[in-house]
Amino acid sequence: MSLFRALKKTCSVIKKSLFSRETTEAVRMETTKINMSRVPLVNGGIDTAMLKAHKPRVMSKSGHSNVRIDKVDGIYLLYLQDLWTTVIDMKWRYKLTLFAATFVMTWFLFGVIYYAIAFLHGDLEINTFTPKREPCVKNVDSLTGAFLFSLESQTTIGYGFRFITEECPHAIFLLVAQLVITTLIEIFITGTFLAKIARPKKRAETIKFSHCAVITKHNGELCLVIRVANMRKSLLIQCQLSGKLLQTYETKEGERILLNQASVKFNVDSSSESPFLILPLTFYHILDESSPLRDLTPQNLKEKDFELVVLLNATVESTSAVCQSRTSYIPEEIHWGYEFVPVVSLSPNGKYVADFSQFEKIRRSTDSTFYSMDSEKQKLEEKYRQEDQRERELRTMLLQQSNV
């Protein structure tokens, strides 16, 4: 009996302890919630660690493609047919290796041919020359000497110690062929170097996109907003920003398209003209009936499976070269009911200042309609969407059965 009382007392103590712990935890969470609600600014990159670890993306945040081309017949032959683009697209370490290897291989190849000519002509035999008989190439009596003669001829060094005589016309013809062929190779390699250096790829890396996007109201319209900035003082002209919405789509015939592309139009202050990208700008996409994102709600945003690829095309003022900068956004990187913190201000000496420490920061929207939206309307819209989805699945099943 005493053992039973002791166990009962122990259970009572444990129950009180658990209740106290739960109460403390609830109070702590409520305090945290209240404190977070008082913080107006939110760093746009804080949710990065909370994103899905292995969520597939077509385009990385830095603008690189994540698509792998596989099982293509004769892909190496295709690369060789477009050798110019292949060499330009090479990484610098491979390109420098190819540059050095091209010269060394041509020097050695023609050196071997000169050595073979000297061998066939008998120039390598000792004491076989008479005053009336001259060798094809003076002072070439080994493979090393032939390699040095090839190097001196191709680079037009011309030390004067090794030279071709009039004894072998075919050696003279080989020298002419070497100079013509190697000159064409040097033109090709030098041209690819200049083309790779002049590419506006690095210029595109100085265009900065906001890490996250927000959904807020602008001029009375519900809009998806992103921020773009030019990190250089040199201007970008004829800027055009567009978007592509990539998501799985099922047609009425039951065909499933894994990456269906839908155009997403962006404006600057409700204008589609080319923006003047000298200061950080915000681009807006209106979520109206014509928008492919028209069915987004605060409840289903994080449950959606899509990727918004954003492309900015512009012309570099200094070189007139066209550059393109890219990034992408997934639902976890889009925040509903937030807005970007202003980054442009006027300094006391009358200059405009862009504070990039505020570039990624967002804050809750001051529009109270975001927090007092008609929940019954949202539930009704969600119900209609579910019914439409069930109807579409039923049509697909009936179509498949009819095909069988």
mmCIF file of all heavy atoms in Angstrom, residues 332-372:
data_model
loop_
_atom_site.group_PDB
_atom_site.id
_atom_site.type_symbol
_atom_site.label_atom_id
_atom_site.label_comp_id
_atom_site.label_asym_id
_atom_site.label_seq_id
_atom_site.Cartn_x
_atom_site.Cartn_y
_atom_site.Cartn_z
ATOM 1 N N GLU A 332 9.383 29.282 -51.513
ATOM 2 C CA GLU A 332 9.945 29.572 -50.198
ATOM 3 C C GLU A 332 10.683 30.897 -50.152
ATOM 4 O O GLU A 332 10.990 31.407 -49.069
ATOM 5 C CB GLU A 332 10.891 28.441 -49.767
ATOM 6 C CG GLU A 332 10.207 27.145 -49.384
ATOM 7 C CD GLU A 332 9.748 26.345 -50.595
ATOM 8 O OE1 GLU A 332 10.073 26.763 -51.724
ATOM 9 O OE2 GLU A 332 9.067 25.310 -50.414
ATOM 10 N N GLU A 333 10.981 31.468 -51.311
ATOM 11 C CA GLU A 333 11.710 32.740 -51.372
ATOM 12 C C GLU A 333 10.774 33.913 -51.692
ATOM 13 O O GLU A 333 11.253 35.010 -51.964
ATOM 14 C CB GLU A 333 12.815 32.655 -52.422
ATOM 15 C CG GLU A 333 13.876 31.619 -52.081
ATOM 16 C CD GLU A 333 14.807 31.327 -53.237
ATOM 17 O OE1 GLU A 333 14.488 31.720 -54.375
ATOM 18 O OE2 GLU A 333 15.844 30.682 -53.008
ATOM 19 N N ILE A 334 9.479 33.678 -51.671
ATOM 20 C CA ILE A 334 8.487 34.725 -51.920
ATOM 21 C C ILE A 334 7.697 34.946 -50.633
ATOM 22 O O ILE A 334 7.142 34.004 -50.067
ATOM 23 C CB ILE A 334 7.546 34.335 -53.076
ATOM 24 C CG1 ILE A 334 8.357 34.093 -54.357
ATOM 25 C CG2 ILE A 334 6.503 35.415 -53.302
ATOM 26 C CD1 ILE A 334 7.521 33.609 -55.528
ATOM 27 N N HIS A 335 7.657 36.183 -50.159
ATOM 28 C CA HIS A 335 7.025 36.520 -48.879
ATOM 29 C C HIS A 335 5.760 37.340 -49.124
ATOM 30 O O HIS A 335 5.804 38.401 -49.766
ATOM 31 C CB HIS A 335 8.005 37.301 -47.993
ATOM 32 C CG HIS A 335 9.277 36.565 -47.721
ATOM 33 N ND1 HIS A 335 9.395 35.606 -46.750
ATOM 34 C CD2 HIS A 335 10.494 36.635 -48.330
ATOM 35 C CE1 HIS A 335 10.621 35.122 -46.746
ATOM 36 N NE2 HIS A 335 11.312 35.730 -47.691
ATOM 37 N N TRP A 336 4.657 36.849 -48.603
ATOM 38 C CA TRP A 336 3.362 37.513 -48.775
ATOM 39 C C TRP A 336 3.160 38.563 -47.672
ATOM 40 O O TRP A 336 3.376 38.303 -46.501
ATOM 41 C CB TRP A 336 2.244 36.475 -48.708
ATOM 42 C CG TRP A 336 0.900 37.035 -49.071
ATOM 43 C CD1 TRP A 336 0.125 37.865 -48.324
ATOM 44 C CD2 TRP A 336 0.180 36.803 -50.277
ATOM 45 N NE1 TRP A 336 -1.023 38.170 -48.978
ATOM 46 C CE2 TRP A 336 -1.031 37.533 -50.190
ATOM 47 C CE3 TRP A 336 0.431 36.047 -51.420
ATOM 48 C CZ2 TRP A 336 -1.980 37.526 -51.200
ATOM 49 C CZ3 TRP A 336 -0.521 36.045 -52.438
ATOM 50 C CH2 TRP A 336 -1.702 36.772 -52.327
ATOM 51 N N GLY A 337 2.722 39.758 -48.080
ATOM 52 C CA GLY A 337 2.421 40.813 -47.114
ATOM 53 C C GLY A 337 3.629 41.577 -46.641
ATOM 54 O O GLY A 337 3.570 42.228 -45.598
ATOM 55 N N TYR A 338 4.735 41.524 -47.385
ATOM 56 C CA TYR A 338 5.943 42.269 -47.033
ATOM 57 C C TYR A 338 6.262 43.258 -48.143
ATOM 58 O O TYR A 338 5.735 43.174 -49.262
ATOM 59 C CB TYR A 338 7.130 41.326 -46.829
ATOM 60 C CG TYR A 338 7.093 40.559 -45.525
ATOM 61 C CD1 TYR A 338 6.322 39.410 -45.399
ATOM 62 C CD2 TYR A 338 7.827 40.973 -44.424
ATOM 63 C CE1 TYR A 338 6.266 38.697 -44.211
ATOM 64 C CE2 TYR A 338 7.796 40.275 -43.231
ATOM 65 C CZ TYR A 338 7.017 39.138 -43.130
ATOM 66 O OH TYR A 338 6.980 38.441 -41.950
ATOM 67 N N GLU A 339 7.141 44.187 -47.846
ATOM 68 C CA GLU A 339 7.611 45.155 -48.823
ATOM 69 C C GLU A 339 9.087 45.442 -48.576
ATOM 70 O O GLU A 339 9.604 45.223 -47.472
ATOM 71 C CB GLU A 339 6.801 46.450 -48.731
ATOM 72 C CG GLU A 339 6.918 47.145 -47.389
ATOM 73 C CD GLU A 339 6.016 48.372 -47.290
ATOM 74 O OE1 GLU A 339 5.209 48.570 -48.209
ATOM 75 O OE2 GLU A 339 6.139 49.122 -46.300
ATOM 76 N N PHE A 340 9.758 45.910 -49.617
ATOM 77 C CA PHE A 340 11.183 46.202 -49.502
ATOM 78 C C PHE A 340 11.411 47.507 -48.745
ATOM 79 O O PHE A 340 10.621 48.452 -48.847
ATOM 80 C CB PHE A 340 11.833 46.295 -50.878
ATOM 81 C CG PHE A 340 12.041 44.966 -51.547
ATOM 82 C CD1 PHE A 340 11.237 44.579 -52.600
ATOM 83 C CD2 PHE A 340 13.031 44.106 -51.106
ATOM 84 C CE1 PHE A 340 11.421 43.357 -53.224
ATOM 85 C CE2 PHE A 340 13.225 42.887 -51.715
ATOM 86 C CZ PHE A 340 12.417 42.500 -52.776
ATOM 87 N N VAL A 341 12.512 47.529 -48.011
ATOM 88 C CA VAL A 341 12.909 48.739 -47.300
ATOM 89 C C VAL A 341 13.561 49.696 -48.296
ATOM 90 O O VAL A 341 14.370 49.282 -49.128
ATOM 91 C CB VAL A 341 13.889 48.396 -46.162
ATOM 92 C CG1 VAL A 341 14.382 49.655 -45.466
ATOM 93 C CG2 VAL A 341 13.240 47.453 -45.172
ATOM 94 N N PRO A 342 13.228 50.984 -48.278
ATOM 95 C CA PRO A 342 13.857 51.934 -49.222
ATOM 96 C C PRO A 342 15.376 51.972 -49.042
ATOM 97 O O PRO A 342 15.889 51.912 -47.924
ATOM 98 C CB PRO A 342 13.214 53.268 -48.847
ATOM 99 C CG PRO A 342 11.924 52.905 -48.177
ATOM 100 C CD PRO A 342 12.184 51.624 -47.452
ATOM 101 N N VAL A 343 16.077 52.066 -50.154
ATOM 102 C CA VAL A 343 17.540 52.101 -50.115
ATOM 103 C C VAL A 343 18.100 53.420 -50.620
ATOM 104 O O VAL A 343 19.274 53.725 -50.396
ATOM 105 C CB VAL A 343 18.136 50.940 -50.946
ATOM 106 C CG1 VAL A 343 17.777 49.600 -50.350
ATOM 107 C CG2 VAL A 343 17.687 51.027 -52.396
ATOM 108 N N VAL A 344 17.315 54.210 -51.314
ATOM 109 C CA VAL A 344 17.795 55.470 -51.886
ATOM 110 C C VAL A 344 17.410 56.614 -50.971
ATOM 111 O O VAL A 344 16.253 56.727 -50.536
ATOM 112 C CB VAL A 344 17.212 55.688 -53.300
ATOM 113 C CG1 VAL A 344 17.725 56.997 -53.886
ATOM 114 C CG2 VAL A 344 17.585 54.523 -54.212
ATOM 115 N N SER A 345 18.399 57.436 -50.671
ATOM 116 C CA SER A 345 18.171 58.607 -49.820
ATOM 117 C C SER A 345 18.985 59.779 -50.367
ATOM 118 O O SER A 345 19.843 59.612 -51.239
ATOM 119 C CB SER A 345 18.552 58.309 -48.364
ATOM 120 O OG SER A 345 19.931 57.960 -48.279
ATOM 121 N N LEU A 346 18.717 60.939 -49.827
ATOM 122 C CA LEU A 346 19.401 62.159 -50.247
ATOM 123 C C LEU A 346 20.347 62.593 -49.145
ATOM 124 O O LEU A 346 19.942 62.778 -47.990
ATOM 125 C CB LEU A 346 18.394 63.260 -50.552
ATOM 126 C CG LEU A 346 18.927 64.527 -51.232
ATOM 127 C CD1 LEU A 346 19.485 64.187 -52.605
ATOM 128 C CD2 LEU A 346 17.825 65.579 -51.347
ATOM 129 N N SER A 347 21.627 62.714 -49.488
ATOM 130 C CA SER A 347 22.633 63.092 -48.498
ATOM 131 C C SER A 347 22.574 64.588 -48.216
ATOM 132 O O SER A 347 21.984 65.357 -48.991
ATOM 133 C CB SER A 347 24.026 62.716 -49.009
ATOM 134 O OG SER A 347 24.345 63.459 -50.169
ATOM 135 N N PRO A 348 23.187 65.037 -47.106
ATOM 136 C CA PRO A 348 23.165 66.483 -46.784
ATOM 137 C C PRO A 348 23.814 67.358 -47.839
ATOM 138 O O PRO A 348 23.446 68.527 -47.982
ATOM 139 C CB PRO A 348 23.934 66.555 -45.454
ATOM 140 C CG PRO A 348 23.771 65.189 -44.854
ATOM 141 C CD PRO A 348 23.756 64.239 -46.010
ATOM 142 N N ASN A 349 24.789 66.809 -48.591
ATOM 143 C CA ASN A 349 25.439 67.625 -49.620
ATOM 144 C C ASN A 349 24.720 67.561 -50.961
ATOM 145 O O ASN A 349 25.247 68.019 -51.978
ATOM 146 C CB ASN A 349 26.902 67.200 -49.800
ATOM 147 C CG ASN A 349 27.029 65.725 -50.127
ATOM 148 O OD1 ASN A 349 26.021 65.010 -50.221
ATOM 149 N ND2 ASN A 349 28.252 65.257 -50.295
ATOM 150 N N GLY A 350 23.525 66.967 -50.999
ATOM 151 C CA GLY A 350 22.708 67.001 -52.208
ATOM 152 C C GLY A 350 22.929 65.865 -53.166
ATOM 153 O O GLY A 350 22.497 65.957 -54.326
ATOM 154 N N LYS A 351 23.557 64.768 -52.745
ATOM 155 C CA LYS A 351 23.785 63.616 -53.620
ATOM 156 C C LYS A 351 22.857 62.470 -53.225
ATOM 157 O O LYS A 351 22.547 62.284 -52.051
ATOM 158 C CB LYS A 351 25.243 63.153 -53.528
ATOM 159 C CG LYS A 351 26.238 64.105 -54.167
ATOM 160 C CD LYS A 351 27.629 63.501 -54.178
ATOM 161 C CE LYS A 351 28.619 64.407 -54.887
ATOM 162 N NZ LYS A 351 29.980 63.807 -54.922
ATOM 163 N N TYR A 352 22.454 61.717 -54.237
ATOM 164 C CA TYR A 352 21.644 60.528 -53.980
ATOM 165 C C TYR A 352 22.545 59.384 -53.550
ATOM 166 O O TYR A 352 23.584 59.128 -54.171
ATOM 167 C CB TYR A 352 20.857 60.143 -55.221
ATOM 168 C CG TYR A 352 19.713 61.085 -55.539
ATOM 169 C CD1 TYR A 352 19.876 62.107 -56.469
ATOM 170 C CD2 TYR A 352 18.488 60.948 -54.906
ATOM 171 C CE1 TYR A 352 18.842 62.979 -56.758
ATOM 172 C CE2 TYR A 352 17.435 61.823 -55.187
ATOM 173 C CZ TYR A 352 17.626 62.828 -56.107
ATOM 174 O OH TYR A 352 16.596 63.686 -56.384
ATOM 175 N N VAL A 353 22.145 58.694 -52.498
ATOM 176 C CA VAL A 353 22.950 57.615 -51.918
ATOM 177 C C VAL A 353 22.122 56.338 -51.930
ATOM 178 O O VAL A 353 20.960 56.335 -51.500
ATOM 179 C CB VAL A 353 23.386 57.956 -50.481
ATOM 180 C CG1 VAL A 353 24.190 56.799 -49.883
ATOM 181 C CG2 VAL A 353 24.198 59.246 -50.456
ATOM 182 N N ALA A 354 22.718 55.261 -52.448
ATOM 183 C CA ALA A 354 22.085 53.942 -52.430
ATOM 184 C C ALA A 354 22.739 53.111 -51.331
ATOM 185 O O ALA A 354 23.910 52.739 -51.432
ATOM 186 C CB ALA A 354 22.239 53.250 -53.782
ATOM 187 N N ASP A 355 22.021 52.847 -50.278
ATOM 188 C CA ASP A 355 22.521 52.101 -49.129
ATOM 189 C C ASP A 355 22.238 50.606 -49.338
ATOM 190 O O ASP A 355 21.115 50.140 -49.130
ATOM 191 C CB ASP A 355 21.845 52.591 -47.854
ATOM 192 C CG ASP A 355 22.409 51.910 -46.611
ATOM 193 O OD1 ASP A 355 23.406 51.163 -46.737
ATOM 194 O OD2 ASP A 355 21.848 52.105 -45.517
ATOM 195 N N PHE A 356 23.268 49.865 -49.767
ATOM 196 C CA PHE A 356 23.070 48.455 -50.082
ATOM 197 C C PHE A 356 23.012 47.575 -48.839
ATOM 198 O O PHE A 356 22.771 46.375 -48.964
ATOM 199 C CB PHE A 356 24.173 47.970 -51.025
ATOM 200 C CG PHE A 356 23.916 48.329 -52.458
ATOM 201 C CD1 PHE A 356 24.392 49.518 -52.980
ATOM 202 C CD2 PHE A 356 23.174 47.496 -53.269
ATOM 203 C CE1 PHE A 356 24.148 49.862 -54.299
ATOM 204 C CE2 PHE A 356 22.927 47.829 -54.587
ATOM 205 C CZ PHE A 356 23.410 49.014 -55.112
ATOM 206 N N SER A 357 23.224 48.131 -47.671
ATOM 207 C CA SER A 357 23.008 47.343 -46.457
ATOM 208 C C SER A 357 21.520 47.089 -46.235
ATOM 209 O O SER A 357 21.143 46.178 -45.492
ATOM 210 C CB SER A 357 23.602 48.064 -45.243
ATOM 211 O OG SER A 357 22.922 49.300 -45.014
ATOM 212 N N GLN A 358 20.654 47.887 -46.874
ATOM 213 C CA GLN A 358 19.209 47.711 -46.783
ATOM 214 C C GLN A 358 18.633 47.003 -48.002
ATOM 215 O O GLN A 358 17.406 46.854 -48.092
ATOM 216 C CB GLN A 358 18.532 49.088 -46.642
ATOM 217 C CG GLN A 358 19.064 49.955 -45.521
ATOM 218 C CD GLN A 358 18.665 49.421 -44.165
ATOM 219 O OE1 GLN A 358 17.599 48.844 -43.991
ATOM 220 N NE2 GLN A 358 19.538 49.587 -43.179
ATOM 221 N N PHE A 359 19.497 46.582 -48.922
ATOM 222 C CA PHE A 359 19.012 46.059 -50.199
ATOM 223 C C PHE A 359 18.201 44.776 -50.026
ATOM 224 O O PHE A 359 17.187 44.569 -50.684
ATOM 225 C CB PHE A 359 20.208 45.809 -51.128
ATOM 226 C CG PHE A 359 19.816 45.396 -52.521
ATOM 227 C CD1 PHE A 359 19.438 46.339 -53.455
ATOM 228 C CD2 PHE A 359 19.816 44.065 -52.901
ATOM 229 C CE1 PHE A 359 19.069 45.973 -54.745
ATOM 230 C CE2 PHE A 359 19.452 43.675 -54.178
ATOM 231 C CZ PHE A 359 19.082 44.630 -55.106
ATOM 232 N N GLU A 360 18.632 43.893 -49.143
ATOM 233 C CA GLU A 360 17.964 42.607 -48.976
ATOM 234 C C GLU A 360 16.883 42.628 -47.896
ATOM 235 O O GLU A 360 16.188 41.627 -47.715
ATOM 236 C CB GLU A 360 18.991 41.527 -48.624
ATOM 237 C CG GLU A 360 20.049 41.286 -49.690
ATOM 238 C CD GLU A 360 19.494 40.557 -50.904
ATOM 239 O OE1 GLU A 360 18.312 40.156 -50.852
ATOM 240 O OE2 GLU A 360 20.218 40.389 -51.895
ATOM 241 N N LYS A 361 16.742 43.720 -47.180
ATOM 242 C CA LYS A 361 15.823 43.745 -46.048
ATOM 243 C C LYS A 361 14.390 44.025 -46.490
ATOM 244 O O LYS A 361 14.150 44.832 -47.392
ATOM 245 C CB LYS A 361 16.276 44.787 -45.026
ATOM 246 C CG LYS A 361 17.566 44.401 -44.309
ATOM 247 C CD LYS A 361 17.925 45.394 -43.237
ATOM 248 C CE LYS A 361 19.186 44.956 -42.486
ATOM 249 N NZ LYS A 361 19.544 45.915 -41.421
ATOM 250 N N ILE A 362 13.469 43.351 -45.839
ATOM 251 C CA ILE A 362 12.046 43.549 -46.092
ATOM 252 C C ILE A 362 11.346 43.805 -44.767
ATOM 253 O O ILE A 362 11.887 43.506 -43.689
ATOM 254 C CB ILE A 362 11.421 42.326 -46.799
ATOM 255 C CG1 ILE A 362 11.593 41.071 -45.949
ATOM 256 C CG2 ILE A 362 12.013 42.127 -48.179
ATOM 257 C CD1 ILE A 362 10.949 39.828 -46.542
ATOM 258 N N ARG A 363 10.150 44.362 -44.840
ATOM 259 C CA ARG A 363 9.362 44.640 -43.648
ATOM 260 C C ARG A 363 7.889 44.364 -43.955
ATOM 261 O O ARG A 363 7.492 44.284 -45.131
ATOM 262 C CB ARG A 363 9.538 46.090 -43.216
ATOM 263 C CG ARG A 363 9.005 47.099 -44.221
ATOM 264 C CD ARG A 363 9.365 48.510 -43.853
ATOM 265 N NE ARG A 363 8.872 49.452 -44.857
ATOM 266 C CZ ARG A 363 9.205 50.742 -44.873
ATOM 267 N NH1 ARG A 363 10.022 51.231 -43.954
ATOM 268 N NH2 ARG A 363 8.718 51.533 -45.822
ATOM 269 N N ARG A 364 7.114 44.214 -42.903
ATOM 270 C CA ARG A 364 5.694 43.961 -43.093
ATOM 271 C C ARG A 364 5.035 45.153 -43.776
ATOM 272 O O ARG A 364 5.341 46.310 -43.471
ATOM 273 C CB ARG A 364 5.013 43.685 -41.755
ATOM 274 C CG ARG A 364 5.337 42.313 -41.182
ATOM 275 C CD ARG A 364 4.464 42.016 -39.990
ATOM 276 N NE ARG A 364 4.716 40.679 -39.483
ATOM 277 C CZ ARG A 364 4.135 39.582 -39.954
ATOM 278 N NH1 ARG A 364 3.255 39.687 -40.943
ATOM 279 N NH2 ARG A 364 4.391 38.399 -39.453
ATOM 280 N N SER A 365 4.123 44.842 -44.679
ATOM 281 C CA SER A 365 3.447 45.904 -45.414
ATOM 282 C C SER A 365 2.580 46.735 -44.473
ATOM 283 O O SER A 365 1.972 46.227 -43.529
ATOM 284 C CB SER A 365 2.592 45.304 -46.524
ATOM 285 O OG SER A 365 1.863 46.314 -47.192
ATOM 286 N N THR A 366 2.536 48.021 -44.741
ATOM 287 C CA THR A 366 1.710 48.931 -43.934
ATOM 288 C C THR A 366 0.241 48.886 -44.333
ATOM 289 O O THR A 366 -0.594 49.495 -43.659
ATOM 290 C CB THR A 366 2.223 50.369 -44.085
ATOM 291 O OG1 THR A 366 2.238 50.730 -45.482
ATOM 292 C CG2 THR A 366 3.645 50.494 -43.544
ATOM 293 N N ASP A 367 -0.082 48.173 -45.416
ATOM 294 C CA ASP A 367 -1.470 48.060 -45.861
ATOM 295 C C ASP A 367 -2.200 47.065 -44.968
ATOM 296 O O ASP A 367 -1.875 45.878 -44.932
ATOM 297 C CB ASP A 367 -1.514 47.601 -47.318
ATOM 298 C CG ASP A 367 -2.898 47.773 -47.938
ATOM 299 O OD1 ASP A 367 -3.869 47.908 -47.161
ATOM 300 O OD2 ASP A 367 -3.003 47.775 -49.168
ATOM 301 N N SER A 368 -3.207 47.536 -44.245
ATOM 302 C CA SER A 368 -3.919 46.684 -43.290
ATOM 303 C C SER A 368 -4.809 45.654 -43.971
ATOM 304 O O SER A 368 -5.256 44.700 -43.331
ATOM 305 C CB SER A 368 -4.769 47.549 -42.355
ATOM 306 O OG SER A 368 -5.729 48.292 -43.108
ATOM 307 N N THR A 369 -5.089 45.821 -45.253
ATOM 308 C CA THR A 369 -5.963 44.864 -45.942
ATOM 309 C C THR A 369 -5.334 43.491 -46.044
ATOM 310 O O THR A 369 -6.027 42.506 -46.237
ATOM 311 C CB THR A 369 -6.301 45.381 -47.348
ATOM 312 O OG1 THR A 369 -5.069 45.583 -48.068
ATOM 313 C CG2 THR A 369 -7.064 46.686 -47.280
ATOM 314 N N PHE A 370 -4.020 43.410 -45.913
ATOM 315 C CA PHE A 370 -3.358 42.112 -45.955
ATOM 316 C C PHE A 370 -3.731 41.262 -44.748
ATOM 317 O O PHE A 370 -3.703 40.043 -44.803
ATOM 318 C CB PHE A 370 -1.833 42.283 -46.006
ATOM 319 C CG PHE A 370 -1.318 42.520 -47.386
ATOM 320 C CD1 PHE A 370 -0.857 43.758 -47.752
ATOM 321 C CD2 PHE A 370 -1.311 41.503 -48.330
ATOM 322 C CE1 PHE A 370 -0.372 43.985 -49.025
ATOM 323 C CE2 PHE A 370 -0.838 41.727 -49.604
ATOM 324 C CZ PHE A 370 -0.366 42.967 -49.953
ATOM 325 N N TYR A 371 -4.062 41.891 -43.647
ATOM 326 C CA TYR A 371 -4.330 41.164 -42.404
ATOM 327 C C TYR A 371 -5.830 41.108 -42.094
ATOM 328 O O TYR A 371 -6.231 40.582 -41.066
ATOM 329 C CB TYR A 371 -3.587 41.834 -41.255
ATOM 330 C CG TYR A 371 -2.171 42.190 -41.627
ATOM 331 C CD1 TYR A 371 -1.787 43.514 -41.813
ATOM 332 C CD2 TYR A 371 -1.221 41.194 -41.832
ATOM 333 C CE1 TYR A 371 -0.482 43.836 -42.185
ATOM 334 C CE2 TYR A 371 0.080 41.506 -42.202
ATOM 335 C CZ TYR A 371 0.439 42.829 -42.374
ATOM 336 O OH TYR A 371 1.708 43.143 -42.736
ATOM 337 N N SER A 372 -6.654 41.671 -42.979
ATOM 338 C CA SER A 372 -8.099 41.606 -42.774
ATOM 339 C C SER A 372 -8.804 41.130 -44.042
ATOM 340 O O SER A 372 -9.844 41.644 -44.422
ATOM 341 C CB SER A 372 -8.640 42.988 -42.389
ATOM 342 O OG SER A 372 -8.348 43.926 -43.403
#
